[in-house]
Amino acid sequence: MKIRTRLHIVTAASAAMVIIMALLVYWSQHRLAIANKAKNLADEIVSSVFERNTLRNDYLNNDNQRAKEQWFLKQNQLSDLLRSAPANLVSISDREIFTDIQKTMEGSSAIFQQILSNREGSRGGAPRTSGAIEIENRLVAQLLLKFLDTIADARKLQTAGNELIESTQKTAAKVSLAIIVSVSLFVIFVAWSLGRIISKGIKSLQLGATAIGAGNLHYTIPLTGEDEFSSVAVAFNTMSGKLAESHSALEQDLVARKRAANEIEGLNQELSHTVAQLQGANQELEAFAYSVSHDLRAPLRAMGGFSVALIEDFGDTLEAEARDYLNEIVLGSRHMGQLIDGLLTLSRSTRGELRHDRVDLSAMADRIRVELGKAEPQRRVTWRIEAGLSGGGDARMIEVIMRNLLENAWKYTAAVAEPLIRVYSELEKGERYYCVADNGAGFDMAHAEKLFQPFQRLHRQDEFPGIGIGLATAQRIVHRHGGTIHATGTPHKGALFSFSLPYGEEQ
Amino acid sequence: MNINKTILLVEDNSQDEKLILRALRKVNLANQVDVVRDGQQALDYLFREGEFAGRNGDDVPAIVLLDIGLPRVSGLEVLKRLRNDPRTRLQPVVILTSSDEERDRLASYEDGANSFVRKPLDFTEFAETVAHLGIYWLAVNKPPQE
């Protein structure tokens, strides 16, 4: 049975008790009212009978006609009273008493009529005979008896009323007690059984919740039946089942994730291993390039040096062609020396920590301008260097960039009638670019990407000598500063190189 | 030029040695040059030990031209040993090397080199540089002890 049903039953029992108690009160009030009415009736009867008796005596003794009329009036009143009374009376004995009273009343009325007719018969002034008086006296005696009977009956009626009151009170008390006791016992029983059921249910649920909370997701709460706890237990079991399902799904997911994470970690390790290897290889390569270019210097010096020595010390005894060949060796050695120097610079530009300097690019450009002018004082070149150009980064490396770009501009304007070299800066998409522009030989944009590759040249040695390492070096340095370098050019019109230095701007 | 002073050349590269000697010969200084070919020999020469045990005690080189990359004992190690010995503490030493590493240059000065000269790649320049060095240290510079 459901707890709700049980609670409904308790409520209904309590309600029924209240209703029964109300009915009982109503019933007892009703009975008491009847009893009181009977008593009142008896009282009225007694008082009316006494009054009538007094009126009769008044009439008989004083021949008071008014008293006679009043006697009849009282008689009628009593009759009415008795006629209306039987509906209110319950017990049979009461009714019998009542009937007796009615009979007595009727009897006494008949007797009084006789007395009256006796008296009427003797009226006419003639004195009443002794026989008539005798008869009247007898009738009065009978009337007196009837009076006493009535009084006695009225007393009985009063007693019956009292008894009724008493019995009603007793019954009401007993019934109330019985109802209170039985209903209380019932309620106590139901409450006790409910408490048992509830505490058992809660205990089971608590055990289940604890078990599930501890991780035993396959625990089933052993509650069967039809009450709410069973429903909760069923719901609980369903929930723990679903939990177990999703838990196992989660676990699988977790395992998968862990595996994926392990894989990622493995890949990362592999990657960092590869990066370390690459870094190592790179460093090795740089060290190799450095030591190679370094170690190449001595034999090169020997080749060139001894060629020069041969020309200087034995030039006279050599044929012109032999001297020419030796000169070629000297030239070749010089060129190779420049290549090695370029390689060294390139290699150095990718090594070592970048410093953070504030660089006055205008002053730097001006210094290089003076140096270039001193090297070739016969050249007339117009320079326009924007004042206050300032950038951040590694000053020595930025000087390598500027030197390469300005030397190129200087070199490639050699054949121009009015050479012009400009150094300025401009903003492009919020980023500052430093520009070196010239009106020299320029280049074909189709070959622009070759410019920044080492040893790639767009001009022949006899046009413009060079080794093709300067721009590659400049680009590496710009890249190390997080920037970009662009070249634009038109053949015979000029070239423009612009670069940014974000690394320095950060500071 | 005829000056009665000695140059000690410590050079393991025989071609460089020849070029250096030729350059010095061009300025008439070749007769004053003693050549050793590694760091240990240089130390033996300067401390009159080993094969140089019988060398004349008064003959102190006016200048030591010291390469860095030397077999057995490196040039920087030689320099350190010279500076740590009271007999050679003041010995003028010029580092003459192919290296232009900042690291080597700083280490040389820290160890008490009197000068650091990079061997120019260009042989003409190289010859001129060596000649200048010889003239400067033998004719111009005043040594600590006469």
Side-chain angles (χ1 to χ4, degrees):
Chain A
M1 199 190 289
K2 287 193 169 185
I3 292 166
R4 202 183 139 128
T5 318
R6 284 168 204 267
L7 286 171
H8 280 167
I9 288 169
V10 171
T11 313
S14 310
M17 185 179 78
V18 169
I19 290 166
I20 288 169
M21 293 294 280
L23 286 175
L24 192 67
V25 168
Y26 175 73
W27 173 80
S28 49
Q29 286 298 319
H30 181 67
R31 294 254 298 200
L32 289 175
I34 289 169
N36 279 326
K37 263 184 190 165
K39 273 175 76 183
N40 288 342
L41 196 60
D43 288 347
E44 260 180 81
I45 289 167
V46 170
S47 68
S48 296
V49 168
F50 270 102
E51 269 178 56
R52 209 181 52 168
N53 202 41
T54 313
L55 289 168
R56 188 202 63 210
N57 284 345
D58 192 13
Y59 171 69
L60 290 179
N61 297 340
N62 307 319
D63 197 21
N64 190 341
Q65 289 300 313
R66 225 181 102 81
K68 184 193 78 182
E69 282 164 26
Q70 280 190 337
W71 191 96
F72 277 112
L73 198 69
K74 205 75 286 173
Q75 177 69 20
N76 286 340
Q77 273 181 0
L78 255 173
S79 306
D80 287 346
L81 199 64
L82 290 169
R83 223 176 293 125
S84 66
N88 292 327
L89 296 173
V90 176
S91 72
I92 296 161
S93 60
D94 291 349
R95 237 171 245 163
E96 279 167 5
I97 295 166
F98 222 74
T99 319
D100 282 351
I101 293 172
Q102 268 180 322
K103 275 183 190 160
T104 317
M105 288 287 298
E106 279 161 16
S108 62
S109 181
I111 293 164
F112 196 60
Q113 283 288 346
Q114 273 189 329
I115 292 171
L116 282 180
S117 60
N118 258 0
R119 282 217 175 175
E120 294 299 318
S122 64
R123 209 163 282 258
R128 288 197 295 172
T129 60
S130 59
I133 293 168
E134 178 84 5
I135 291 165
E136 193 183 279
N137 283 343
R138 230 184 296 144
L139 286 171
V140 169
Q142 279 179 18
L143 211 58
L144 200 62
L145 276 174
K146 294 282 180 203
F147 164 71
L148 290 174
D149 274 355
T150 310
I151 296 290
D153 280 340
R155 291 273 179 248
K156 272 193 214 164
L157 202 61
Q158 274 181 326
T159 313
N162 281 336
E163 276 171 3
L164 185 64
I165 289 171
E166 204 177 316
S167 79
T168 303
Q169 279 172 341
K170 273 188 187 164
T171 312
K174 277 183 197 160
V175 171
S176 330
L177 190 67
I179 289 171
I180 288 170
V181 167
S182 60
V183 170
S184 300
L185 283 176
F186 175 71
V187 167
I188 287 167
F189 170 72
V190 171
W192 173 77
S193 69
L194 263 179
R196 238 172 73 98
I197 290 168
I198 290 173
S199 69
K200 199 179 139 195
I202 286 176
K203 200 167 182 187
S204 289
L205 289 179
Q206 195 186 13
L207 276 175
T210 311
I212 289 165
N216 181 8
L217 293 179
H218 295 285
Y219 184 88
T220 308
I221 296 170
L223 271 182
T224 49
E226 290 170 357
D227 62 14
E228 285 84 343
F229 279 109
S230 303
S231 317
V232 172
V234 168
F236 213 93
N237 290 338
T238 312
M239 184 193 78
S240 64
K242 296 265 181 205
L243 257 177
E245 268 174 44
S246 65
H247 191 258
S248 74
L250 265 176
E251 260 177 1
Q252 282 173 0
D253 194 38
L254 208 67
V255 167
R257 266 164 203 252
K258 221 172 222 177
R259 201 180 299 132
N262 282 342
E263 268 173 41
I264 288 173
E265 203 184 332
L267 286 174
N268 271 341
Q269 279 180 352
E270 228 171 90
L271 194 67
S272 42
H273 186 64
T274 312
V275 167
Q277 275 183 328
L278 270 177
Q279 276 175 343
N282 211 25
Q283 279 173 359
E284 241 170 69
L285 205 66
E286 275 169 14
F288 177 72
Y290 181 79
S291 73
V292 162
S293 47
H294 207 264
D295 291 348
L296 283 175
R297 295 163 71 95
L300 191 63
R301 195 163 46 232
M303 277 162 60
F306 288 113
S307 302
V308 169
L310 208 54
I311 295 167
E312 283 178 6
D313 297 353
F314 305 98
D316 304 343
T317 58
L318 286 174
E319 285 184 27
E321 202 175 354
R323 271 209 304 279
D324 185 40
Y325 293 165
L326 280 172
N327 275 328
E328 289 300 333
I329 294 176
V330 171
L331 283 178
S333 307
R334 277 222 169 92
H335 186 64
M336 192 169 163
Q338 285 168 351
L339 285 175
I340 289 170
D341 266 355
L343 268 180
L344 271 176
T345 313
L346 183 68
S347 146
R348 206 174 295 132
S349 71
T350 59
R351 291 191 302 159
E353 285 289 306
L354 276 188
R355 297 200 315 215
H356 276 292
D357 305 311
R358 234 22 245 177
V359 185
D360 183 347
L361 279 101
S362 302
M364 188 182 273
D366 205 53
R367 204 166 56 240
I368 297 166
R369 174 187 69 83
V370 171
E371 283 176 28
L372 290 169
K374 271 186 190 163
E376 290 179 76
Q378 74 285 1
R379 283 192 59 187
R380 290 284 167 265
V381 177
T382 311
W383 288 76
R384 285 196 199 135
I385 299 172
E386 191 182 306
L389 286 182
S390 165
D394 191 310
R396 291 173 309 172
M397 295 216 180
I398 292 171
E399 176 148 358
V400 173
I401 303 174
M402 289 302 282
R403 197 168 283 280
N404 276 315
L405 295 182
L406 291 175
E407 278 173 2
N408 280 349
W410 177 266
K411 183 163 69 183
Y412 290 107
T413 48
V416 177
E418 290 178 348
L420 170 67
I421 297 173
R422 290 181 298 141
V423 180
Y424 56 98
S425 81
E426 59 185 20
L427 278 173
E428 198 185 304
K429 287 174 189 164
E431 195 159 11
R432 182 153 299 282
Y433 276 85
Y434 304 95
C435 307
V436 175
D438 66 65
N439 62 347
F443 59 90
D444 188 344
M445 283 299 281
H447 310 301
E449 79 281 1
K450 274 192 172 179
L451 279 173
F452 296 106
Q453 291 171 13
F455 307 118
Q456 294 283 342
R457 302 200 65 234
L458 299 184
H459 299 278
R460 295 199 316 273
Q461 280 295 335
D462 55 352
E463 290 177 319
F464 297 101
I467 54 167
I469 201 94
L471 287 177
T473 308
Q475 190 189 42
R476 283 207 189 182
I477 294 170
V478 170
H479 285 176
R480 282 199 75 189
H481 284 75
T484 47
I485 182 163
H486 303 295
T488 41
T490 316
H492 314 300
K493 288 275 168 72
L496 163 66
F497 291 87
S498 53
F499 61 95
S500 59
L501 299 167
Y503 170 77
E505 297 307 317
E506 287 165 14
Q507 299 301 305
Chain B
M1 209 180 289
N2 196 1
I3 302 162
N4 194 19
K5 282 179 183 171
T6 320
I7 296 173
L8 175 65
L9 174 64
V10 190
E11 174 64 70
D12 65 318
N13 186 320
S14 60
Q15 290 177 324
D16 273 358
E17 179 197 323
K18 272 186 193 170
L19 288 173
I20 290 168
L21 289 178
R22 179 178 176 270
L24 292 174
R25 196 161 56 236
K26 289 271 173 184
V27 288
N28 292 323
L29 290 174
N31 291 337
Q32 273 87 26
V33 182
D34 283 341
V35 181
V36 290
R37 295 190 171 80
D38 64 48
Q40 188 54 55
Q41 265 193 322
L43 289 172
D44 286 347
Y45 178 95
L46 289 163
F47 293 126
R48 297 183 189 85
E49 288 165 356
E51 57 180 302
F52 298 104
R55 198 171 64 82
N56 181 3
D58 297 335
D59 193 5
V60 176
I63 186 70
V64 177
L65 300 178
L66 184 62
D67 200 355
I68 288 182
L70 290 172
R72 292 165 76 186
V73 182
S74 83
L76 290 176
E77 183 59 33
V78 171
L79 181 59
K80 261 185 220 166
R81 302 260 278 269
L82 293 183
R83 290 293 174 256
N84 287 334
D85 194 294
R87 292 171 290 171
T88 51
R89 196 164 53 86
L90 301 172
Q91 172 67 53
V93 175
V94 171
I95 300 293
L96 182 64
T97 174
S98 298
S99 167
D100 64 342
E101 287 284 273
E102 195 180 336
R103 184 160 40 93
D104 289 340
R105 199 167 68 238
L106 290 177
S108 302
Y109 280 116
E110 267 166 24
D111 290 339
N114 299 75
S115 185
F116 184 97
V117 177
R118 190 191 168 203
K119 290 177 185 169
L121 183 57
D122 188 281
F123 25 83
T124 313
E125 259 181 68
F126 180 61
E128 281 171 8
T129 304
V130 171
H132 284 152
L133 269 177
I135 292 165
Y136 173 82
W137 285 102
L138 263 58
V140 182
N141 185 56
K142 279 286 194 184
Q145 304 123 329
E146 290 280 352

